[in-house]
PDB file of all heavy atoms in Angstrom:
ATOM      1  N   ILE U   1    -100.526-130.272 -89.924  1.00 64.00           N
ATOM      2  CA  ILE U   1    -101.045-129.562 -88.761  1.00 64.00           C
ATOM      3  C   ILE U   1    -102.513-129.889 -88.531  1.00 64.00           C
ATOM      4  O   ILE U   1    -102.953-130.084 -87.399  1.00 64.00           O
ATOM      5  CB  ILE U   1    -100.826-128.049 -88.919  1.00 64.00           C
ATOM      6  CG1 ILE U   1     -99.337-127.716 -88.815  1.00 64.00           C
ATOM      7  CG2 ILE U   1    -101.625-127.280 -87.869  1.00 64.00           C
ATOM      8  CD1 ILE U   1     -99.017-126.258 -89.010  1.00 64.00           C
ATOM      9  N   THR U   2    -103.265-129.956 -89.597  1.00 62.00           N
ATOM     10  CA  THR U   2    -104.686-130.279 -89.478  1.00 62.00           C
ATOM     11  C   THR U   2    -104.886-131.648 -88.850  1.00 62.00           C
ATOM     12  O   THR U   2    -105.698-131.807 -87.935  1.00 62.00           O
ATOM     13  CB  THR U   2    -105.361-130.219 -90.851  1.00 62.00           C
ATOM     14  OG1 THR U   2    -105.294-128.887 -91.369  1.00 62.00           O
ATOM     15  CG2 THR U   2    -106.827-130.623 -90.749  1.00 62.00           C
ATOM     16  N   LEU U   3    -104.154-132.635 -89.330  1.00 66.00           N
ATOM     17  CA  LEU U   3    -104.295-133.977 -88.795  1.00 66.00           C
ATOM     18  C   LEU U   3    -103.742-134.096 -87.384  1.00 66.00           C
ATOM     19  O   LEU U   3    -104.235-134.902 -86.594  1.00 66.00           O
ATOM     20  CB  LEU U   3    -103.612-134.994 -89.711  1.00 66.00           C
ATOM     21  CG  LEU U   3    -104.258-135.211 -91.078  1.00 66.00           C
ATOM     22  CD1 LEU U   3    -103.543-136.314 -91.833  1.00 66.00           C
ATOM     23  CD2 LEU U   3    -105.733-135.546 -90.930  1.00 66.00           C
ATOM     24  N   ASP U   4    -102.747-133.315 -87.066  1.00 72.00           N
ATOM     25  CA  ASP U   4    -102.152-133.376 -85.735  1.00 72.00           C
ATOM     26  C   ASP U   4    -103.018-132.723 -84.669  1.00 72.00           C
ATOM     27  O   ASP U   4    -103.034-133.175 -83.523  1.00 72.00           O
ATOM     28  CB  ASP U   4    -100.779-132.708 -85.731  1.00 72.00           C
ATOM     29  CG  ASP U   4     -99.711-133.524 -86.430  1.00 72.00           C
ATOM     30  OD1 ASP U   4     -99.922-134.728 -86.642  1.00 72.00           O
ATOM     31  OD2 ASP U   4     -98.653-132.956 -86.755  1.00 72.00           O
ATOM     32  N   TYR U   5    -103.740-131.681 -85.042  1.00 82.00           N
ATOM     33  CA  TYR U   5    -104.426-130.864 -84.044  1.00 82.00           C
ATOM     34  C   TYR U   5    -105.935-130.796 -84.194  1.00 82.00           C
ATOM     35  O   TYR U   5    -106.612-130.272 -83.295  1.00 82.00           O
ATOM     36  CB  TYR U   5    -103.865-129.445 -84.070  1.00 82.00           C
ATOM     37  CG  TYR U   5    -102.396-129.377 -83.695  1.00 82.00           C
ATOM     38  CD1 TYR U   5    -101.418-129.208 -84.667  1.00 82.00           C
ATOM     39  CD2 TYR U   5    -102.001-129.501 -82.371  1.00 82.00           C
ATOM     40  CE1 TYR U   5    -100.078-129.159 -84.330  1.00 82.00           C
ATOM     41  CE2 TYR U   5    -100.661-129.451 -82.024  1.00 82.00           C
ATOM     42  CZ  TYR U   5     -99.700-129.276 -83.016  1.00 82.00           C
ATOM     43  OH  TYR U   5     -98.363-129.227 -82.673  1.00 82.00           O
ATOM     44  N   TYR U   6    -106.480-131.298 -85.271  1.00 87.00           N
ATOM     45  CA  TYR U   6    -107.918-131.189 -85.513  1.00 87.00           C
ATOM     46  C   TYR U   6    -108.510-132.522 -85.895  1.00 87.00           C
ATOM     47  O   TYR U   6    -107.879-133.353 -86.547  1.00 87.00           O
ATOM     48  CB  TYR U   6    -108.202-130.176 -86.621  1.00 87.00           C
ATOM     49  CG  TYR U   6    -107.784-128.769 -86.297  1.00 87.00           C
ATOM     50  CD1 TYR U   6    -106.541-128.296 -86.694  1.00 87.00           C
ATOM     51  CD2 TYR U   6    -108.635-127.923 -85.603  1.00 87.00           C
ATOM     52  CE1 TYR U   6    -106.153-127.001 -86.394  1.00 87.00           C
ATOM     53  CE2 TYR U   6    -108.252-126.635 -85.301  1.00 87.00           C
ATOM     54  CZ  TYR U   6    -107.009-126.173 -85.697  1.00 87.00           C
ATOM     55  OH  TYR U   6    -106.629-124.890 -85.404  1.00 87.00           O
ATOM     56  N   ALA U   7    -109.747-132.710 -85.495  1.00 92.00           N
ATOM     57  CA  ALA U   7    -110.542-133.802 -86.023  1.00 92.00           C
ATOM     58  C   ALA U   7    -110.980-133.469 -87.451  1.00 92.00           C
ATOM     59  O   ALA U   7    -111.009-132.300 -87.841  1.00 92.00           O
ATOM     60  CB  ALA U   7    -111.771-134.035 -85.147  1.00 92.00           C
ATOM     61  N   ILE U   8    -111.306-134.505 -88.206  1.00 94.00           N
ATOM     62  CA  ILE U   8    -111.827-134.329 -89.557  1.00 94.00           C
ATOM     63  C   ILE U   8    -113.224-134.912 -89.619  1.00 94.00           C
ATOM     64  O   ILE U   8    -113.432-136.076 -89.260  1.00 94.00           O
ATOM     65  CB  ILE U   8    -110.933-134.992 -90.612  1.00 94.00           C
ATOM     66  CG1 ILE U   8    -109.542-134.353 -90.615  1.00 94.00           C
ATOM     67  CG2 ILE U   8    -111.581-134.887 -91.994  1.00 94.00           C
ATOM     68  CD1 ILE U   8    -109.520-132.894 -91.045  1.00 94.00           C
ATOM     69  N   GLY U   9    -114.146-134.105 -90.059  1.00 96.00           N
ATOM     70  CA  GLY U   9    -115.507-134.559 -90.260  1.00 96.00           C
ATOM     71  C   GLY U   9    -115.857-134.603 -91.733  1.00 96.00           C
ATOM     72  O   GLY U   9    -115.352-133.803 -92.529  1.00 96.00           O
ATOM     73  N   TRP U  10    -116.697-135.558 -92.081  1.00 98.00           N
ATOM     74  CA  TRP U  10    -117.289-135.621 -93.416  1.00 98.00           C
ATOM     75  C   TRP U  10    -118.735-135.168 -93.325  1.00 98.00           C
ATOM     76  O   TRP U  10    -119.498-135.657 -92.485  1.00 98.00           O
ATOM     77  CB  TRP U  10    -117.221-137.030 -93.997  1.00 98.00           C
ATOM     78  CG  TRP U  10    -115.881-137.410 -94.546  1.00 98.00           C
ATOM     79  CD1 TRP U  10    -114.927-138.162 -93.944  1.00 98.00           C
ATOM     80  CD2 TRP U  10    -115.365-137.061 -95.829  1.00 98.00           C
ATOM     81  NE1 TRP U  10    -113.838-138.312 -94.770  1.00 98.00           N
ATOM     82  CE2 TRP U  10    -114.085-137.639 -95.933  1.00 98.00           C
ATOM     83  CE3 TRP U  10    -115.858-136.317 -96.907  1.00 98.00           C
ATOM     84  CZ2 TRP U  10    -113.278-137.493 -97.074  1.00 98.00           C
ATOM     85  CZ3 TRP U  10    -115.057-136.166 -98.037  1.00 98.00           C
ATOM     86  CH2 TRP U  10    -113.789-136.756 -98.100  1.00 98.00           C
ATOM     87  N   PHE U  11    -119.100-134.258 -94.195  1.00 98.00           N
ATOM     88  CA  PHE U  11    -120.443-133.715 -94.271  1.00 98.00           C
ATOM     89  C   PHE U  11    -120.968-133.907 -95.682  1.00 98.00           C
ATOM     90  O   PHE U  11    -120.202-134.049 -96.628  1.00 98.00           O
ATOM     91  CB  PHE U  11    -120.456-132.222 -93.926  1.00 98.00           C
ATOM     92  CG  PHE U  11    -119.968-131.898 -92.549  1.00 98.00           C
ATOM     93  CD1 PHE U  11    -118.611-131.906 -92.254  1.00 98.00           C
ATOM     94  CD2 PHE U  11    -120.865-131.573 -91.544  1.00 98.00           C
ATOM     95  CE1 PHE U  11    -118.150-131.596 -90.986  1.00 98.00           C
ATOM     96  CE2 PHE U  11    -120.415-131.257 -90.266  1.00 98.00           C
ATOM     97  CZ  PHE U  11    -119.063-131.275 -89.995  1.00 98.00           C
ATOM     98  N   ARG U  12    -122.269-133.889 -95.818  1.00 98.00           N
ATOM     99  CA  ARG U  12    -122.853-133.939 -97.146  1.00 98.00           C
ATOM    100  C   ARG U  12    -124.056-133.019 -97.225  1.00 98.00           C
ATOM    101  O   ARG U  12    -124.724-132.749 -96.229  1.00 98.00           O
ATOM    102  CB  ARG U  12    -123.254-135.367 -97.534  1.00 98.00           C
ATOM    103  CG  ARG U  12    -124.399-135.955 -96.719  1.00 98.00           C
ATOM    104  CD  ARG U  12    -124.614-137.418 -97.103  1.00 98.00           C
ATOM    105  NE  ARG U  12    -125.720-138.015 -96.376  1.00 98.00           N
ATOM    106  CZ  ARG U  12    -126.031-139.302 -96.427  1.00 98.00           C
ATOM    107  NH1 ARG U  12    -125.316-140.135 -97.191  1.00 98.00           N
ATOM    108  NH2 ARG U  12    -127.070-139.762 -95.735  1.00 98.00           N
ATOM    109  N   GLN U  13    -124.316-132.543 -98.422  1.00 98.00           N
ATOM    110  CA  GLN U  13    -125.457-131.685 -98.642  1.00 98.00           C
ATOM    111  C   GLN U  13    -126.010-131.919-100.043  1.00 98.00           C
ATOM    112  O   GLN U  13    -125.278-131.835-101.026  1.00 98.00           O
ATOM    113  CB  GLN U  13    -125.094-130.218 -98.470  1.00 98.00           C
ATOM    114  CG  GLN U  13    -126.300-129.298 -98.496  1.00 98.00           C
ATOM    115  CD  GLN U  13    -125.988-127.923 -97.960  1.00 98.00           C
ATOM    116  OE1 GLN U  13    -124.855-127.454 -98.040  1.00 98.00           O
ATOM    117  NE2 GLN U  13    -126.991-127.281 -97.402  1.00 98.00           N
ATOM    118  N   ALA U  14    -127.281-132.228-100.096  1.00 97.00           N
ATOM    119  CA  ALA U  14    -127.990-132.374-101.349  1.00 97.00           C
ATOM    120  C   ALA U  14    -128.823-131.124-101.583  1.00 97.00           C
ATOM    121  O   ALA U  14    -129.198-130.432-100.630  1.00 97.00           O
ATOM    122  CB  ALA U  14    -128.880-133.607-101.322  1.00 97.00           C
ATOM    123  N   PRO U  15    -129.134-130.808-102.832  1.00 92.00           N
ATOM    124  CA  PRO U  15    -129.940-129.616-103.115  1.00 92.00           C
ATOM    125  C   PRO U  15    -131.254-129.618-102.345  1.00 92.00           C
ATOM    126  O   PRO U  15    -131.980-130.611-102.336  1.00 92.00           O
ATOM    127  CB  PRO U  15    -130.178-129.706-104.622  1.00 92.00           C
ATOM    128  CG  PRO U  15    -129.014-130.480-105.135  1.00 92.00           C
ATOM    129  CD  PRO U  15    -128.721-131.490-104.065  1.00 92.00           C
ATOM    130  N   GLY U  16    -131.544-128.516-101.678  1.00 93.00           N
ATOM    131  CA  GLY U  16    -132.784-128.380-100.942  1.00 93.00           C
ATOM    132  C   GLY U  16    -132.814-129.074 -99.597  1.00 93.00           C
ATOM    133  O   GLY U  16    -133.849-129.066 -98.930  1.00 93.00           O
ATOM    134  N   LYS U  17    -131.707-129.667 -99.188  1.00 95.00           N
ATOM    135  CA  LYS U  17    -131.656-130.382 -97.923  1.00 95.00           C
ATOM    136  C   LYS U  17    -130.639-129.743 -96.984  1.00 95.00           C
ATOM    137  O   LYS U  17    -129.716-129.055 -97.420  1.00 95.00           O
ATOM    138  CB  LYS U  17    -131.307-131.851 -98.135  1.00 95.00           C
ATOM    139  CG  LYS U  17    -132.335-132.627 -98.939  1.00 95.00           C
ATOM    140  CD  LYS U  17    -131.962-134.090 -99.042  1.00 95.00           C
ATOM    141  CE  LYS U  17    -132.996-134.881 -99.810  1.00 95.00           C
ATOM    142  NZ  LYS U  17    -132.621-136.319 -99.922  1.00 95.00           N
ATOM    143  N   GLU U  18    -130.832-129.988 -95.707  1.00 95.00           N
ATOM    144  CA  GLU U  18    -129.895-129.497 -94.709  1.00 95.00           C
ATOM    145  C   GLU U  18    -128.582-130.261 -94.794  1.00 95.00           C
ATOM    146  O   GLU U  18    -128.542-131.440 -95.137  1.00 95.00           O
ATOM    147  CB  GLU U  18    -130.486-129.639 -93.308  1.00 95.00           C
ATOM    148  CG  GLU U  18    -131.692-128.753 -93.038  1.00 95.00           C
ATOM    149  CD  GLU U  18    -131.311-127.304 -92.947  1.00 95.00           C
ATOM    150  OE1 GLU U  18    -130.213-127.000 -92.437  1.00 95.00           O
ATOM    151  OE2 GLU U  18    -132.105-126.458 -93.388  1.00 95.00           O
ATOM    152  N   ARG U  19    -127.509-129.563 -94.467  1.00 95.00           N
ATOM    153  CA  ARG U  19    -126.220-130.212 -94.387  1.00 95.00           C
ATOM    154  C   ARG U  19    -126.224-131.229 -93.252  1.00 95.00           C
ATOM    155  O   ARG U  19    -126.752-130.967 -92.165  1.00 95.00           O
ATOM    156  CB  ARG U  19    -125.123-129.171 -94.166  1.00 95.00           C
ATOM    157  CG  ARG U  19    -123.715-129.740 -94.202  1.00 95.00           C
ATOM    158  CD  ARG U  19    -122.699-128.648 -93.970  1.00 95.00           C
ATOM    159  NE  ARG U  19    -122.822-128.083 -92.640  1.00 95.00           N
ATOM    160  CZ  ARG U  19    -122.366-126.885 -92.286  1.00 95.00           C
ATOM    161  NH1 ARG U  19    -121.759-126.121 -93.194  1.00 95.00           N
ATOM    162  NH2 ARG U  19    -122.515-126.455 -91.049  1.00 95.00           N
ATOM    163  N   GLU U  20    -125.639-132.375 -93.498  1.00 96.00           N
ATOM    164  CA  GLU U  20    -125.628-133.461 -92.541  1.00 96.00           C
ATOM    165  C   GLU U  20    -124.200-133.917 -92.295  1.00 96.00           C
ATOM    166  O   GLU U  20    -123.443-134.124 -93.238  1.00 96.00           O
ATOM    167  CB  GLU U  20    -126.456-134.645 -93.059  1.00 96.00           C
ATOM    168  CG  GLU U  20    -126.428-135.881 -92.167  1.00 96.00           C
ATOM    169  CD  GLU U  20    -127.110-137.080 -92.801  1.00 96.00           C
ATOM    170  OE1 GLU U  20    -127.225-137.124 -94.041  1.00 96.00           O
ATOM    171  OE2 GLU U  20    -127.543-137.978 -92.037  1.00 96.00           O
ATOM    172  N   ARG U  21    -123.835-134.070 -91.038  1.00 97.00           N
ATOM    173  CA  ARG U  21    -122.554-134.669 -90.726  1.00 97.00           C
ATOM    174  C   ARG U  21    -122.699-136.173 -90.775  1.00 97.00           C
ATOM    175  O   ARG U  21    -123.489-136.755 -90.035  1.00 97.00           O
ATOM    176  CB  ARG U  21    -122.035-134.228 -89.353  1.00 97.00           C
ATOM    177  CG  ARG U  21    -120.568-134.590 -89.137  1.00 97.00           C
ATOM    178  CD  ARG U  21    -120.049-134.152 -87.789  1.00 97.00           C
ATOM    179  NE  ARG U  21    -120.291-135.160 -86.758  1.00 97.00           N
ATOM    180  CZ  ARG U  21    -119.843-135.082 -85.519  1.00 97.00           C
ATOM    181  NH1 ARG U  21    -119.152-134.009 -85.135  1.00 97.00           N
ATOM    182  NH2 ARG U  21    -120.095-136.040 -84.658  1.00 97.00           N
ATOM    183  N   VAL U  22    -121.931-136.803 -91.640  1.00 98.00           N
ATOM    184  CA  VAL U  22    -122.058-138.241 -91.812  1.00 98.00           C
ATOM    185  C   VAL U  22    -121.046-139.014 -90.980  1.00 98.00           C
ATOM    186  O   VAL U  22    -121.307-140.158 -90.589  1.00 98.00           O
ATOM    187  CB  VAL U  22    -121.962-138.649 -93.292  1.00 98.00           C
ATOM    188  CG1 VAL U  22    -123.075-137.997 -94.094  1.00 98.00           C
ATOM    189  CG2 VAL U  22    -120.608-138.285 -93.887  1.00 98.00           C
ATOM    190  N   SER U  23    -119.895-138.401 -90.705  1.00 98.00           N
ATOM    191  CA  SER U  23    -118.878-139.101 -89.940  1.00 98.00           C
ATOM    192  C   SER U  23    -117.849-138.120 -89.417  1.00 98.00           C
ATOM    193  O   SER U  23    -117.759-136.982 -89.891  1.00 98.00           O
ATOM    194  CB  SER U  23    -118.191-140.173 -90.802  1.00 98.00           C
ATOM    195  OG  SER U  23    -117.367-141.016 -90.011  1.00 98.00           O
ATOM    196  N   CYS U  24    -117.065-138.565 -88.440  1.00 97.00           N
ATOM    197  CA  CYS U  24    -116.022-137.725 -87.865  1.00 97.00           C
ATOM    198  C   CYS U  24    -114.983-138.627 -87.225  1.00 97.00           C
ATOM    199  O   CYS U  24    -115.325-139.685 -86.685  1.00 97.00           O
ATOM    200  CB  CYS U  24    -116.620-136.766 -86.830  1.00 97.00           C
ATOM    201  SG  CYS U  24    -115.521-135.423 -86.313  1.00 97.00           S
ATOM    202  N   ILE U  25    -113.731-138.198 -87.285  1.00 96.00           N
ATOM    203  CA  ILE U  25    -112.656-138.940 -86.630  1.00 96.00           C
ATOM    204  C   ILE U  25    -111.807-137.963 -85.837  1.00 96.00           C
ATOM    205  O   ILE U  25    -111.364-136.937 -86.347  1.00 96.00           O
ATOM    206  CB  ILE U  25    -111.809-139.745 -87.647  1.00 96.00           C
ATOM    207  CG1 ILE U  25    -110.777-140.608 -86.917  1.00 96.00           C
ATOM    208  CG2 ILE U  25    -111.152-138.840 -88.680  1.00 96.00           C
ATOM    209  CD1 ILE U  25    -110.160-141.680 -87.810  1.00 96.00           C
ATOM    210  N   SER U  26    -111.584-138.282 -84.566  1.00 93.00           N
ATOM    211  CA  SER U  26    -110.846-137.407 -83.673  1.00 93.00           C
ATOM    212  C   SER U  26    -109.355-137.460 -83.955  1.00 93.00           C
ATOM    213  O   SER U  26    -108.821-138.474 -84.413  1.00 93.00           O
ATOM    214  CB  SER U  26    -111.097-137.788 -82.219  1.00 93.00           C
ATOM    215  OG  SER U  26    -112.451-137.644 -81.867  1.00 93.00           O
ATOM    216  N   SER U  27    -108.673-136.371 -83.648  1.00 87.00           N
ATOM    217  CA  SER U  27    -107.228-136.324 -83.820  1.00 87.00           C
ATOM    218  C   SER U  27    -106.493-136.925 -82.640  1.00 87.00           C
ATOM    219  O   SER U  27    -105.392-137.458 -82.795  1.00 87.00           O
ATOM    220  CB  SER U  27    -106.769-134.879 -84.033  1.00 87.00           C
ATOM    221  OG  SER U  27    -107.070-134.078 -82.902  1.00 87.00           O
ATOM    222  N   SER U  28    -107.073-136.836 -81.448  1.00 82.00           N
ATOM    223  CA  SER U  28    -106.390-137.252 -80.235  1.00 82.00           C
ATOM    224  C   SER U  28    -106.321-138.761 -80.073  1.00 82.00           C
ATOM    225  O   SER U  28    -105.239-139.332 -79.928  1.00 82.00           O
ATOM    226  CB  SER U  28    -107.067-136.630 -79.014  1.00 82.00           C
ATOM    227  OG  SER U  28    -108.443-136.959 -78.973  1.00 82.00           O
ATOM    228  N   ASP U  29    -107.474-139.413 -80.095  1.00 85.00           N
ATOM    229  CA  ASP U  29    -107.514-140.845 -79.844  1.00 85.00           C
ATOM    230  C   ASP U  29    -108.084-141.656 -81.000  1.00 85.00           C
ATOM    231  O   ASP U  29    -108.228-142.876 -80.879  1.00 85.00           O
ATOM    232  CB  ASP U  29    -108.296-141.147 -78.568  1.00 85.00           C
ATOM    233  CG  ASP U  29    -109.738-140.678 -78.616  1.00 85.00           C
ATOM    234  OD1 ASP U  29    -110.164-140.149 -79.659  1.00 85.00           O
ATOM    235  OD2 ASP U  29    -110.439-140.838 -77.601  1.00 85.00           O
ATOM    236  N   GLY U  30    -108.419-141.002 -82.093  1.00 89.00           N
ATOM    237  CA  GLY U  30    -108.934-141.706 -83.249  1.00 89.00           C
ATOM    238  C   GLY U  30    -110.368-142.164 -83.127  1.00 89.00           C
ATOM    239  O   GLY U  30    -110.818-142.982 -83.938  1.00 89.00           O
ATOM    240  N   SER U  31    -111.091-141.667 -82.137  1.00 95.00           N
ATOM    241  CA  SER U  31    -112.490-142.033 -81.982  1.00 95.00           C
ATOM    242  C   SER U  31    -113.279-141.666 -83.229  1.00 95.00           C
ATOM    243  O   SER U  31    -113.038-140.628 -83.841  1.00 95.00           O
ATOM    244  CB  SER U  31    -113.098-141.334 -80.764  1.00 95.00           C
ATOM    245  OG  SER U  31    -112.459-141.753 -79.572  1.00 95.00           O
ATOM    246  N   THR U  32    -114.212-142.518 -83.583  1.00 97.00           N
ATOM    247  CA  THR U  32    -115.015-142.303 -84.781  1.00 97.00           C
ATOM    248  C   THR U  32    -116.480-142.140 -84.437  1.00 97.00           C
ATOM    249  O   THR U  32    -116.968-142.687 -83.441  1.00 97.00           O
ATOM    250  CB  THR U  32    -114.842-143.455 -85.777  1.00 97.00           C
ATOM    251  OG1 THR U  32    -115.211-144.690 -85.146  1.00 97.00           O
ATOM    252  CG2 THR U  32    -113.398-143.544 -86.249  1.00 97.00           C
ATOM    253  N   TYR U  33    -117.172-141.401 -85.280  1.00 97.00           N
ATOM    254  CA  TYR U  33    -118.578-141.109 -85.093  1.00 97.00           C
ATOM    255  C   TYR U  33    -119.281-141.237 -86.439  1.00 97.00           C
ATOM    256  O   TYR U  33    -118.714-140.898 -87.480  1.00 97.00           O
ATOM    257  CB  TYR U  33    -118.779-139.690 -84.544  1.00 97.00           C
ATOM    258  CG  TYR U  33    -118.025-139.421 -83.264  1.00 97.00           C
ATOM    259  CD1 TYR U  33    -116.677-139.066 -83.297  1.00 97.00           C
ATOM    260  CD2 TYR U  33    -118.647-139.518 -82.025  1.00 97.00           C
ATOM    261  CE1 TYR U  33    -115.975-138.822 -82.126  1.00 97.00           C
ATOM    262  CE2 TYR U  33    -117.952-139.275 -80.858  1.00 97.00           C
ATOM    263  CZ  TYR U  33    -116.613-138.925 -80.914  1.00 97.00           C
ATOM    264  OH  TYR U  33    -115.926-138.684 -79.749  1.00 97.00           O
ATOM    265  N   TYR U  34    -120.525-141.712 -86.394  1.00 98.00           N
ATOM    266  CA  TYR U  34    -121.294-141.901 -87.612  1.00 98.00           C
ATOM    267  C   TYR U  34    -122.726-141.467 -87.408  1.00 98.00           C
ATOM    268  O   TYR U  34    -123.324-141.689 -86.354  1.00 98.00           O
ATOM    269  CB  TYR U  34    -121.283-143.365 -88.053  1.00 98.00           C
ATOM    270  CG  TYR U  34    -119.914-143.894 -88.373  1.00 98.00           C
ATOM    271  CD1 TYR U  34    -119.166-144.564 -87.418  1.00 98.00           C
ATOM    272  CD2 TYR U  34    -119.364-143.718 -89.644  1.00 98.00           C
ATOM    273  CE1 TYR U  34    -117.900-145.047 -87.708  1.00 98.00           C
ATOM    274  CE2 TYR U  34    -118.097-144.199 -89.940  1.00 98.00           C
ATOM    275  CZ  TYR U  34    -117.372-144.863 -88.967  1.00 98.00           C
ATOM    276  OH  TYR U  34    -116.119-145.340 -89.257  1.00 98.00           O
ATOM    277  N   ALA U  35    -123.273-140.856 -88.436  1.00 98.00           N
ATOM    278  CA  ALA U  35    -124.692-140.578 -88.435  1.00 98.00           C
ATOM    279  C   ALA U  35    -125.464-141.883 -88.554  1.00 98.00           C
ATOM    280  O   ALA U  35    -124.999-142.840 -89.173  1.00 98.00           O
ATOM    281  CB  ALA U  35    -125.054-139.645 -89.586  1.00 98.00           C
ATOM    282  N   ASP U  36    -126.657-141.912 -87.962  1.00 98.00           N
ATOM    283  CA  ASP U  36    -127.472-143.123 -88.028  1.00 98.00           C
ATOM    284  C   ASP U  36    -127.758-143.534 -89.468  1.00 98.00           C
ATOM    285  O   ASP U  36    -127.885-144.722 -89.769  1.00 98.00           O
ATOM    286  CB  ASP U  36    -128.783-142.916 -87.274  1.00 98.00           C
ATOM    287  CG  ASP U  36    -128.597-142.850 -85.775  1.00 98.00           C
ATOM    288  OD1 ASP U  36    -127.548-143.302 -85.281  1.00 98.00           O
ATOM    289  OD2 ASP U  36    -129.511-142.350 -85.088  1.00 98.00           O
ATOM    290  N   SER U  37    -127.846-142.570 -90.352  1.00 97.00           N
ATOM    291  CA  SER U  37    -128.192-142.851 -91.734  1.00 97.00           C
ATOM    292  C   SER U  37    -127.108-143.618 -92.485  1.00 97.00           C
ATOM    293  O   SER U  37    -127.388-144.219 -93.521  1.00 97.00           O
ATOM    294  CB  SER U  37    -128.508-141.551 -92.480  1.00 97.00           C
ATOM    295  OG  SER U  37    -127.413-140.653 -92.417  1.00 97.00           O
ATOM    296  N   VAL U  38    -125.874-143.595 -91.981  1.00 98.00           N
ATOM    297  CA  VAL U  38    -124.775-144.251 -92.680  1.00 98.00           C
ATOM    298  C   VAL U  38    -124.084-145.315 -91.847  1.00 98.00           C
ATOM    299  O   VAL U  38    -123.232-146.052 -92.372  1.00 98.00           O
ATOM    300  CB  VAL U  38    -123.721-143.234 -93.164  1.00 98.00           C
ATOM    301  CG1 VAL U  38    -124.370-142.138 -93.993  1.00 98.00           C
ATOM    302  CG2 VAL U  38    -122.959-142.638 -91.985  1.00 98.00           C
ATOM    303  N   LYS U  39    -124.432-145.425 -90.585  1.00 98.00           N
ATOM    304  CA  LYS U  39    -123.768-146.373 -89.703  1.00 98.00           C
ATOM    305  C   LYS U  39    -123.924-147.797 -90.233  1.00 98.00           C
ATOM    306  O   LYS U  39    -125.016-148.216 -90.604  1.00 98.00           O
ATOM    307  CB  LYS U  39    -124.326-146.272 -88.290  1.00 98.00           C
ATOM    308  CG  LYS U  39    -123.505-147.034 -87.264  1.00 98.00           C
ATOM    309  CD  LYS U  39    -123.971-146.733 -85.848  1.00 98.00           C
ATOM    310  CE  LYS U  39    -123.088-147.409 -84.819  1.00 98.00           C
ATOM    311  NZ  LYS U  39    -123.508-147.085 -83.428  1.00 98.00           N
ATOM    312  N   GLY U  40    -122.816-148.516 -90.259  1.00 98.00           N
ATOM    313  CA  GLY U  40    -122.802-149.864 -90.784  1.00 98.00           C
ATOM    314  C   GLY U  40    -122.474-149.940 -92.261  1.00 98.00           C
ATOM    315  O   GLY U  40    -122.174-151.027 -92.766  1.00 98.00           O
TER     316      GLY U  40
END
């Protein structure tokens, strides 16, 4: 159900730092997104 109806994002958090979304993939069309810090 999660994969059928929701996108999945990857986040990371280091001690003392803000949580950062590093990537995301859509459920509908498979579009992908990347933070500048990890792109490539």
Side-chain angles (χ1 to χ4, degrees):
I1 290 178
T2 297
L3 292 184
D4 287 343
Y5 297 103
Y6 297 94
I8 298 295
W10 282 100
F11 300 77
R12 67 185 181 187
Q13 188 164 28
K17 297 183 179 179
E18 293 290 325
R19 186 180 65 201
E20 176 187 23
R21 193 180 87 174
V22 299
S23 190
C24 193
I25 185 165
S26 298
S27 62
S28 56
D29 60 2
S31 297
T32 58
Y33 305 82
Y34 298 94
D36 289 341
S37 57
V38 306
K39 191 171 184 178

